[in-house]
């Protein structure tokens, strides 16, 4: 019989936050449904996890945080045991009472994480979410098509004449607002209506200079030369660098965000012990080093990053950003009742003629 305790090689000492969990449960009698972004995990993850643990698993994909949040907050049992969501969404799910507290005894591989990964503003101590990947947002650009290397968010918000119609921005609401907020010296987590009004004014002006709002294919526009500079998540920029070494990534001088993608266990899950075993498995150094080398996103797993081929980091320099450098940026957190204001802002900007 495989139990979550034996799989985790963890002791069964007292003091667990999740008394309802049974460390001696036969997890091979449980099964899992995991929802995660497509192409964000090893293709053979289901097979290797089941071989290692004996736990049957079904992996389903979601395209956006908003998509999976819709399923998780619709009421009743979503049928999902483990959901990958970004940090501020995990915070919102927890505040809604939908997440199971994580049991550290059953996730001993948490010790593989950098110490800084315990200091994340949306969930200090990783009590209800476990970080999977992290990074920042910046400017991804063609060094051979941009006359002067960008240094400021204003290089995107108010582009040089030769770049008009050659730039893209992210449409996801918090990241749409980020460049203008940072350019004005404001917090990415601002809850001041006047700040958002200033962002709106700037963005309505900037929109006229854009090629497009684009969250997924901007790097292909850079590769083709259709775009010269884009707002980008660092890992997505790496996809462009993989096809054209003229593509580079920079964090503007005004600073940016620290985003984190996390693993969460749903309180509605009937397979919580197996879910903890899954989280623990993902934190194995060899599993997460594969993610860094093949997905090209930084992981908050010190043991895993130590295994990454130095040649990969040389080819994709933002993979070499240190945890300290990342924590210099501002962690995005859930803004509670003010969050709809960012949705409204993005909607108004997208709808404007």
């Amino acid at each position: 019989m495989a139990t979550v305790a034996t799989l985790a090689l963890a002791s069964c000492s007292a003091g667990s936050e999740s008394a309802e969990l049974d460390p001696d449960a036969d997890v091979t009698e449980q099964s899992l449904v995991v929802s995660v972004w497509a192409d964000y995990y090893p293709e053979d993850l289901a097979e290797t996890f089941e071989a290692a643990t004996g736990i049957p698993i079904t992996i389903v994909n979601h395209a956006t945080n908003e998509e999976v949040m819709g399923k998780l907050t619709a009421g009743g049992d979503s049928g999902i045991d483990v959901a990958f969501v970004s940090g501020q969404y995990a915070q919102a799910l927890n505040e809604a009472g939908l997440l199971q507290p994580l049991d550290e005894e059953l996730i001993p591989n948490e010790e593989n994480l950098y110490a800084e990964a315990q200091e994340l503003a949306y969930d200090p101590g990783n009590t209800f979410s476990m970080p999977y990947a992290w990074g920042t947002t910046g400017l991804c650009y063609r060094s051979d098509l941009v006359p002067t290397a960008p240094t400021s968010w204003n290089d995107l918000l108010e582009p040089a004449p030769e770049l008009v119609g050659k730039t893209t921005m992210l449409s996801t609401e918090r990241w749409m607002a980020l460049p203008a907020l940072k350019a004005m010296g404001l917090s990415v987590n601002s809850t001041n209506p006047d700040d958002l009004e200033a962002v709106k004014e700037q963005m309505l002006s900037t929109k006229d200079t854009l090629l497009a709002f684009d969250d997924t294919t901007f790097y292909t526009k850079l590769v083709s030369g259709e775009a010269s500079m884009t707002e980008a998540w660092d890992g997505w920029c790496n996809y462009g660098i993989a096809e054209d070494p003229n593509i580079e990534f920079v964090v503007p001088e005004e600073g940016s965000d620290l985003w984190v993608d996390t693993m969460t266990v749903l309180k509605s899950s009937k397979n919580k012990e197996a879910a903890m075993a899954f989280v623990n498995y993902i934190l194995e150094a060899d599993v997460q080093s594969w993610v860094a080398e093949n997905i090209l996103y930084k992981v908050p797993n010190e043991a895993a990053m130590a295994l990454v081929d130095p040649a990969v980091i040389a080819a994709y320099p933002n993979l070499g950003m240190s945890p300290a450098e990342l924590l210099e940026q501002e962690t995005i957190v859930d803004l509670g009742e003010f969050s709809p204001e960012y949705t409204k802002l993005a909607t108004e900007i997208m709808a404007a003629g």
Side-chain angles (χ1 to χ4, degrees), residues 66 69 88-89 92 95 172-174 176-177 189-193 196 200 333-349:
E66 289 78 8
M69 289 290 285
Q88 68 269 34
Y89 294 92
E95 290 170 352
T172 304
E173 52 204 43
R174 298 292 296 277
M176 181 191 290
N189 296 311
S190 175
T191 56
N192 185 331
L196 265 60
K200 179 180 177 181
V333 299
D334 178 61
L335 300 176
E337 293 181 356
F338 196 80
S339 293
E341 295 301 315
Y342 280 83
T343 304
K344 177 183 176 184
L345 172 69
T347 300
E348 291 177 348
I349 291 168

Short mmCIF file of all heavy atoms in Angstrom, two decimals, residues 66 69 88-89 92 95 172-174 176-177 189-193 196 200 333-349:
data_model
loop_
_atom_site.label_atom_id
_atom_site.label_comp_id
_atom_site.label_asym_id
_atom_site.label_seq_id
_atom_site.Cartn_x
_atom_site.Cartn_y
_atom_site.Cartn_z
N GLU A 66 -8.63 33.40 -15.86
CA GLU A 66 -10.05 33.71 -15.82
C GLU A 66 -10.90 32.48 -16.15
O GLU A 66 -11.96 32.26 -15.55
CB GLU A 66 -10.38 34.86 -16.78
CG GLU A 66 -9.85 36.22 -16.34
CD GLU A 66 -8.36 36.42 -16.60
OE1 GLU A 66 -7.73 35.57 -17.26
OE2 GLU A 66 -7.81 37.43 -16.12
N MET A 69 -10.80 30.08 -13.15
CA MET A 69 -11.50 30.69 -12.03
C MET A 69 -13.00 30.59 -12.21
O MET A 69 -13.75 30.39 -11.24
CB MET A 69 -11.09 32.16 -11.88
CG MET A 69 -9.68 32.37 -11.38
SD MET A 69 -9.46 31.93 -9.63
CE MET A 69 -10.26 33.31 -8.83
N GLN A 88 -2.19 35.99 -7.31
CA GLN A 88 -3.30 36.81 -6.83
C GLN A 88 -4.63 36.09 -6.96
O GLN A 88 -5.56 36.33 -6.19
CB GLN A 88 -3.33 38.17 -7.57
CG GLN A 88 -3.69 38.11 -9.04
CD GLN A 88 -2.48 37.97 -9.94
OE1 GLN A 88 -1.50 37.34 -9.59
NE2 GLN A 88 -2.55 38.57 -11.12
N TYR A 89 -4.73 35.16 -7.92
CA TYR A 89 -5.95 34.37 -8.07
C TYR A 89 -6.04 33.30 -6.97
O TYR A 89 -7.13 33.00 -6.48
CB TYR A 89 -6.01 33.73 -9.45
CG TYR A 89 -6.13 34.74 -10.57
CD1 TYR A 89 -4.99 35.26 -11.19
CD2 TYR A 89 -7.37 35.21 -10.98
CE1 TYR A 89 -5.10 36.20 -12.21
CE2 TYR A 89 -7.49 36.14 -11.99
CZ TYR A 89 -6.35 36.63 -12.60
OH TYR A 89 -6.45 37.58 -13.60
N ALA A 92 -7.34 35.09 -4.02
CA ALA A 92 -8.78 35.30 -4.11
C ALA A 92 -9.56 34.02 -3.81
O ALA A 92 -10.58 34.04 -3.11
CB ALA A 92 -9.15 35.82 -5.50
N GLU A 95 -9.43 33.47 -0.08
CA GLU A 95 -10.31 34.39 0.65
C GLU A 95 -11.78 34.01 0.48
O GLU A 95 -12.61 34.33 1.34
CB GLU A 95 -10.05 35.82 0.17
CG GLU A 95 -8.69 36.35 0.63
CD GLU A 95 -8.30 37.67 -0.02
OE1 GLU A 95 -9.03 38.12 -0.94
OE2 GLU A 95 -7.27 38.23 0.38
N THR A 172 -4.32 41.32 -20.63
CA THR A 172 -4.78 40.89 -19.31
C THR A 172 -4.76 42.08 -18.36
O THR A 172 -3.76 42.78 -18.27
CB THR A 172 -3.91 39.75 -18.78
OG1 THR A 172 -3.89 38.70 -19.73
CG2 THR A 172 -4.44 39.22 -17.46
N GLU A 173 -5.85 42.28 -17.65
CA GLU A 173 -6.14 43.57 -17.03
C GLU A 173 -5.03 44.14 -16.14
O GLU A 173 -4.64 45.31 -16.28
CB GLU A 173 -7.45 43.50 -16.26
CG GLU A 173 -7.52 42.35 -15.28
CD GLU A 173 -8.95 41.95 -14.97
OE1 GLU A 173 -9.78 41.86 -15.88
OE2 GLU A 173 -9.21 41.72 -13.78
N ARG A 174 -4.46 43.35 -15.24
CA ARG A 174 -3.46 43.90 -14.34
C ARG A 174 -2.18 44.25 -15.09
O ARG A 174 -1.48 45.20 -14.73
CB ARG A 174 -3.16 42.91 -13.20
CG ARG A 174 -4.35 42.60 -12.30
CD ARG A 174 -4.79 43.80 -11.47
NE ARG A 174 -3.77 44.22 -10.55
CZ ARG A 174 -3.56 43.68 -9.35
NH1 ARG A 174 -4.31 42.67 -8.94
NH2 ARG A 174 -2.62 44.16 -8.55
N MET A 176 -2.08 45.04 -18.36
CA MET A 176 -2.35 46.17 -19.24
C MET A 176 -2.06 47.48 -18.51
O MET A 176 -1.51 48.43 -19.08
CB MET A 176 -3.80 46.16 -19.73
CG MET A 176 -4.11 47.32 -20.68
SD MET A 176 -5.87 47.51 -21.03
CE MET A 176 -6.20 46.08 -22.03
N ALA A 177 -2.41 47.52 -17.24
CA ALA A 177 -2.24 48.75 -16.46
C ALA A 177 -0.81 48.93 -15.96
O ALA A 177 -0.40 50.06 -15.65
CB ALA A 177 -3.20 48.73 -15.27
N ASN A 189 -0.29 47.62 -7.51
CA ASN A 189 -1.45 47.22 -6.71
C ASN A 189 -2.28 48.42 -6.26
O ASN A 189 -3.00 48.33 -5.27
CB ASN A 189 -0.98 46.42 -5.48
CG ASN A 189 -0.30 45.12 -5.86
OD1 ASN A 189 -0.81 44.35 -6.65
ND2 ASN A 189 0.88 44.89 -5.29
N SER A 190 -2.18 49.51 -6.99
CA SER A 190 -2.91 50.72 -6.59
C SER A 190 -4.41 50.48 -6.50
O SER A 190 -5.00 49.82 -7.35
CB SER A 190 -2.64 51.84 -7.60
OG SER A 190 -3.42 52.98 -7.28
N THR A 191 -5.01 51.05 -5.45
CA THR A 191 -6.47 51.04 -5.31
C THR A 191 -7.01 52.47 -5.29
O THR A 191 -8.09 52.72 -4.75
CB THR A 191 -6.89 50.30 -4.03
OG1 THR A 191 -6.23 50.91 -2.90
CG2 THR A 191 -6.51 48.82 -4.09
N ASN A 192 -6.25 53.37 -5.89
CA ASN A 192 -6.66 54.78 -5.96
C ASN A 192 -7.37 55.02 -7.29
O ASN A 192 -6.75 54.87 -8.35
CB ASN A 192 -5.42 55.67 -5.84
CG ASN A 192 -5.77 57.15 -5.78
OD1 ASN A 192 -6.79 57.58 -6.32
ND2 ASN A 192 -4.94 57.93 -5.12
N PRO A 193 -8.64 55.39 -7.27
CA PRO A 193 -9.35 55.62 -8.52
C PRO A 193 -8.69 56.68 -9.40
O PRO A 193 -8.74 56.58 -10.64
CB PRO A 193 -10.75 56.07 -8.06
CG PRO A 193 -10.90 55.47 -6.69
CD PRO A 193 -9.52 55.52 -6.10
N LEU A 196 -6.05 55.07 -11.55
CA LEU A 196 -6.59 54.32 -12.69
C LEU A 196 -7.11 55.26 -13.77
O LEU A 196 -7.03 54.95 -14.97
CB LEU A 196 -7.68 53.36 -12.23
CG LEU A 196 -7.18 51.92 -11.96
CD1 LEU A 196 -6.13 51.91 -10.88
CD2 LEU A 196 -8.32 50.98 -11.64
N LYS A 200 -5.89 55.22 -17.57
CA LYS A 200 -6.82 55.20 -18.70
C LYS A 200 -6.47 56.28 -19.71
O LYS A 200 -6.43 56.03 -20.93
CB LYS A 200 -8.25 55.38 -18.20
CG LYS A 200 -9.30 55.39 -19.30
CD LYS A 200 -10.70 55.58 -18.73
CE LYS A 200 -11.74 55.65 -19.83
NZ LYS A 200 -13.11 55.87 -19.28
N VAL A 333 -0.79 41.30 -6.02
CA VAL A 333 -1.69 40.67 -5.05
C VAL A 333 -3.13 40.92 -5.47
O VAL A 333 -3.43 41.81 -6.27
CB VAL A 333 -1.45 41.20 -3.62
CG1 VAL A 333 -0.03 40.91 -3.16
CG2 VAL A 333 -1.74 42.70 -3.53
N ASP A 334 -4.02 40.13 -4.92
CA ASP A 334 -5.44 40.32 -5.16
C ASP A 334 -5.90 41.60 -4.46
O ASP A 334 -5.50 41.88 -3.32
CB ASP A 334 -6.24 39.12 -4.63
CG ASP A 334 -7.73 39.31 -4.82
OD1 ASP A 334 -8.16 39.44 -5.97
OD2 ASP A 334 -8.46 39.34 -3.81
N LEU A 335 -6.74 42.36 -5.12
CA LEU A 335 -7.18 43.64 -4.58
C LEU A 335 -8.61 43.62 -4.06
O LEU A 335 -9.21 44.67 -3.82
CB LEU A 335 -7.03 44.74 -5.65
CG LEU A 335 -5.59 44.92 -6.15
CD1 LEU A 335 -5.54 45.96 -7.26
CD2 LEU A 335 -4.66 45.31 -5.01
N GLY A 336 -9.14 42.42 -3.87
CA GLY A 336 -10.45 42.28 -3.25
C GLY A 336 -11.54 43.04 -3.98
O GLY A 336 -11.70 42.92 -5.19
N GLU A 337 -12.26 43.86 -3.25
CA GLU A 337 -13.41 44.55 -3.82
C GLU A 337 -13.01 45.55 -4.90
O GLU A 337 -13.87 45.97 -5.70
CB GLU A 337 -14.18 45.27 -2.70
CG GLU A 337 -14.85 44.32 -1.70
CD GLU A 337 -15.64 45.05 -0.63
OE1 GLU A 337 -15.59 46.31 -0.63
OE2 GLU A 337 -16.28 44.38 0.19
N PHE A 338 -11.73 45.93 -4.93
CA PHE A 338 -11.31 46.90 -5.94
C PHE A 338 -10.95 46.22 -7.26
O PHE A 338 -10.84 46.89 -8.30
CB PHE A 338 -10.10 47.71 -5.44
CG PHE A 338 -9.83 48.96 -6.23
CD1 PHE A 338 -10.57 50.11 -6.03
CD2 PHE A 338 -8.84 48.98 -7.21
CE1 PHE A 338 -10.33 51.27 -6.76
CE2 PHE A 338 -8.58 50.12 -7.95
CZ PHE A 338 -9.33 51.27 -7.73
N SER A 339 -10.79 44.90 -7.25
CA SER A 339 -10.36 44.19 -8.45
C SER A 339 -11.23 44.48 -9.68
O SER A 339 -10.70 44.64 -10.79
CB SER A 339 -10.32 42.68 -8.18
OG SER A 339 -9.31 42.35 -7.25
N PRO A 340 -12.57 44.56 -9.53
CA PRO A 340 -13.39 44.84 -10.71
C PRO A 340 -13.07 46.16 -11.39
O PRO A 340 -13.38 46.34 -12.58
CB PRO A 340 -14.82 44.83 -10.16
CG PRO A 340 -14.75 43.95 -8.96
CD PRO A 340 -13.41 44.24 -8.36
N GLU A 341 -12.44 47.08 -10.66
CA GLU A 341 -12.08 48.36 -11.27
C GLU A 341 -11.03 48.17 -12.36
O GLU A 341 -11.03 48.91 -13.36
CB GLU A 341 -11.59 49.34 -10.20
CG GLU A 341 -12.65 49.75 -9.19
CD GLU A 341 -13.85 50.40 -9.86
OE1 GLU A 341 -13.65 51.27 -10.73
OE2 GLU A 341 -14.99 50.04 -9.49
N TYR A 342 -10.14 47.20 -12.18
CA TYR A 342 -9.15 46.91 -13.22
C TYR A 342 -9.81 46.23 -14.41
O TYR A 342 -9.43 46.47 -15.56
CB TYR A 342 -8.03 46.04 -12.66
CG TYR A 342 -6.99 46.84 -11.89
CD1 TYR A 342 -7.20 47.17 -10.55
CD2 TYR A 342 -5.83 47.27 -12.50
CE1 TYR A 342 -6.26 47.91 -9.85
CE2 TYR A 342 -4.87 48.01 -11.81
CZ TYR A 342 -5.10 48.33 -10.48
OH TYR A 342 -4.17 49.08 -9.78
N THR A 343 -10.81 45.40 -14.16
CA THR A 343 -11.57 44.78 -15.25
C THR A 343 -12.28 45.85 -16.04
O THR A 343 -12.27 45.85 -17.28
CB THR A 343 -12.57 43.76 -14.68
OG1 THR A 343 -11.88 42.80 -13.87
CG2 THR A 343 -13.32 43.06 -15.80
N LYS A 344 -12.92 46.77 -15.33
CA LYS A 344 -13.62 47.87 -15.98
C LYS A 344 -12.66 48.73 -16.80
O LYS A 344 -12.96 49.10 -17.94
CB LYS A 344 -14.32 48.73 -14.91
CG LYS A 344 -15.04 49.94 -15.46
CD LYS A 344 -15.64 50.77 -14.33
CE LYS A 344 -16.28 52.05 -14.84
NZ LYS A 344 -16.78 52.90 -13.72
N LEU A 345 -11.49 48.99 -16.23
CA LEU A 345 -10.49 49.80 -16.93
C LEU A 345 -10.08 49.13 -18.25
O LEU A 345 -10.07 49.77 -19.31
CB LEU A 345 -9.26 49.98 -16.03
CG LEU A 345 -8.03 50.64 -16.68
CD1 LEU A 345 -8.31 52.11 -16.95
CD2 LEU A 345 -6.82 50.49 -15.76
N ALA A 346 -9.74 47.85 -18.16
CA ALA A 346 -9.31 47.13 -19.37
C ALA A 346 -10.43 47.08 -20.40
O ALA A 346 -10.18 47.24 -21.61
CB ALA A 346 -8.85 45.73 -19.00
N THR A 347 -11.66 46.86 -19.95
CA THR A 347 -12.80 46.79 -20.87
C THR A 347 -12.98 48.11 -21.60
O THR A 347 -13.22 48.15 -22.82
CB THR A 347 -14.08 46.42 -20.10
OG1 THR A 347 -13.90 45.15 -19.48
CG2 THR A 347 -15.28 46.37 -21.03
N GLU A 348 -12.89 49.22 -20.86
CA GLU A 348 -13.07 50.54 -21.47
C GLU A 348 -11.97 50.85 -22.47
O GLU A 348 -12.23 51.42 -23.53
CB GLU A 348 -13.14 51.61 -20.38
CG GLU A 348 -14.40 51.52 -19.53
CD GLU A 348 -14.42 52.53 -18.40
OE1 GLU A 348 -13.36 53.16 -18.14
OE2 GLU A 348 -15.49 52.72 -17.78
N ILE A 349 -10.75 50.46 -22.15
CA ILE A 349 -9.64 50.73 -23.08
C ILE A 349 -9.78 49.90 -24.34
O ILE A 349 -9.61 50.41 -25.46
CB ILE A 349 -8.29 50.41 -22.37
CG1 ILE A 349 -8.04 51.44 -21.25
CG2 ILE A 349 -7.13 50.44 -23.38
CD1 ILE A 349 -6.90 51.07 -20.32
#
